[in-house]
Amino acid sequence: MNEIDPSMDERPRRKRTDEIVDAIKRMIVEHGLAPGDRLPQERELISQFAASKGTVREALKALEVQGLISVRTGPGGGAFIERMSEGRAMSLLSNFLFAKNLSIANIYEMRKALEPLVAASATPHIDEAGLNRLEAIISVYDHEPADATERWNQRMAELDFHGVVAEYSDNPILAFICRFLQRLLKDLAIAQDIYVQPEPVLRQSGIEHQRDLIAAMRRRDAAAASAILADHMAEAEKHMLGLQAKLIDRFLSEEAAPPRSRKRRTP
C-alpha cells in the first residue's frame, strides 16, 4: 500500500483560532454544557490549547459573534454558554441573503421541494392539540378581511399555519429551513407589497388544501399529507407570481403615464 506523501496535501493550513473555536465547541458538547454554564477560565484555556492569550481571546470573540457564548467582565465574569435562539439564527441568515436579490420564485422553489417533506415527517408526531391549533389558525383567514390591518394579519396567519406544521417534524434541520423560508416571505419587500394589496386571494382553495392536510395528519397518512402540500405549494406559487406580475405591470403603467395637464380656465 502506497503511503501518502504529506507534501501532496494541498489543503490550506487552518488558523489556530479556528482550531480552538472547533475544540471549544466539541468541549461544550462532550461535557454536556448548557446555557448559563461557564467555560474554563481564560488561563486554563491558554494552558489547555498551548496558545497565546491573544489567540484564545480571538477564539472566544468568534464564539461570541456566533451567539454561542457571552463574555462578561468583572467579578464572577468569564465566558458563559448562550442559547442561540431560532430568531437570531434566522436574522444572521437573512443578513447573509440581504444583497442576493432574493425573489418570490427562489423561495417557492425551495418551499415546493421541502414543505411536502416536512408535512410527511410531522404527520406521525402531531397531536390533537397541534391539529386544533391548525384549525384555529384557519379561522383567522376563512373570511373576507374587514380592513387593511386584518388583511395583513390574515396573510401572516397563512404562513404561521405552515410554521406550526414544521414544529412537529422529527427533522430539526428540515423544520428550521421551512420556518426560515416562511420568515423570508414575511420580510421580503415585494411579498409585503403583495400582501397589502386588496387583491382577491385563492382563499377557499387554499383552505380546502389545509383542511385536507389536517384530515390526512389526523389519520396518520404521511403520503397523503405530502401530496396535499405539494399541490398547495404549486398553487400558492402560481398565485403569488401572478399577483407579483400584476403589481409590477401596475407600477410600470403608472411610471409610463404622462403627467396630467392642467385645464385652461375659460375667461
Side-chain angles (χ1 to χ4, degrees):
M1 185 174 181
N2 295 331
E3 293 185 1
I4 297 175
D5 183 353
S7 65
M8 298 297 291
D9 189 348
E10 298 180 354
R11 288 175 296 180
R13 182 176 178 82
R14 299 187 70 205
K15 287 178 59 179
R16 182 62 176 142
T17 302
D18 295 335
E19 294 175 347
I20 294 174
V21 166
D22 288 346
I24 293 175
K25 288 179 179 178
R26 288 194 299 272
M27 177 197 306
I28 292 171
V29 174
E30 292 170 358
H31 294 186
L33 299 181
D37 290 342
R38 183 163 54 185
L39 289 177
Q41 293 288 350
E42 183 181 275
R43 62 178 178 276
E44 296 178 49
L45 295 175
I46 291 170
S47 174
Q48 179 176 344
F49 298 120
S52 68
K53 179 186 292 187
T55 300
V56 168
R57 287 186 175 179
E58 186 179 347
L60 292 176
K61 184 63 179 178
L63 289 167
E64 188 173 29
V65 169
Q66 293 174 29
L68 296 178
I69 67 169
S70 62
V71 178
R72 307 171 197 170
T73 59
F80 293 82
I81 309 299
E82 285 288 328
R83 185 184 302 278
M84 168 68 82
S85 70
E86 181 174 276
R88 180 169 183 181
M90 288 185 181
S91 293
L92 291 172
L93 282 175
S94 295
N95 291 339
F96 171 75
L97 294 170
F98 180 72
K100 302 293 184 181
N101 296 319
L102 199 64
S103 69
I104 289 175
N106 294 151
I107 295 173
Y108 270 96
E109 185 176 9
M110 295 293 293
R111 292 194 78 195
K112 286 189 299 181
L114 299 181
E115 293 277 2
L117 295 178
V118 84
S121 67
T123 295
H125 308 289
I126 193 166
D127 54 15
E128 195 62 28
L131 296 170
N132 290 338
R133 285 174 65 196
L134 294 178
E135 290 172 344
I137 292 174
I138 290 176
S139 70
V140 174
Y141 49 83
D142 64 358
H143 55 277
E144 290 295 327
D147 52 32
T149 298
E150 185 175 16
R151 181 184 304 115
W152 175 266
N153 291 337
Q154 286 181 340
R155 300 292 77 77
M156 297 301 101
E158 289 171 357
L159 293 169
D160 291 339
F161 177 96
H162 297 282
V164 171
V165 172
E167 285 181 24
Y168 289 89
S169 172
D170 60 353
N171 185 328
I173 299 174
L174 180 60
F176 173 81
I177 294 174
C178 285
R179 288 195 294 268
F180 178 57
L181 293 171
Q182 293 148 20
R183 171 165 167 169
L184 287 178
L185 273 178
K186 289 184 176 183
D187 294 342
L188 193 66
I190 183 64
Q192 291 181 351
D193 290 341
I194 291 171
Y195 294 145
V196 298
Q197 297 297 315
E199 300 281 359
V201 297
L202 299 178
R203 178 172 290 107
Q204 289 309 314
S205 179
I207 289 174
E208 285 175 13
H209 278 135
Q210 292 176 344
R211 286 182 171 149
D212 288 345
L213 173 66
I214 292 172
M217 298 180 87
R218 183 168 271 121
R219 64 177 185 268
R220 305 301 180 194
D221 189 341
S226 177
I228 291 164
L229 250 295
D231 290 343
H232 184 40
M233 285 297 107
E235 184 178 272
E237 177 191 43
K238 182 178 179 181
H239 183 60
M240 284 290 287
L241 292 179
L243 291 175
Q244 176 183 249
K246 286 183 181 179
L247 190 64
I248 293 173
D249 287 345
R250 185 181 306 156
F251 173 77
L252 293 176
S253 296
E254 291 173 354
E255 286 288 301
R260 295 179 180 177
S261 59
R262 294 183 179 180
K263 293 182 179 180
R264 295 180 61 185
R265 292 184 180 179
T266 55

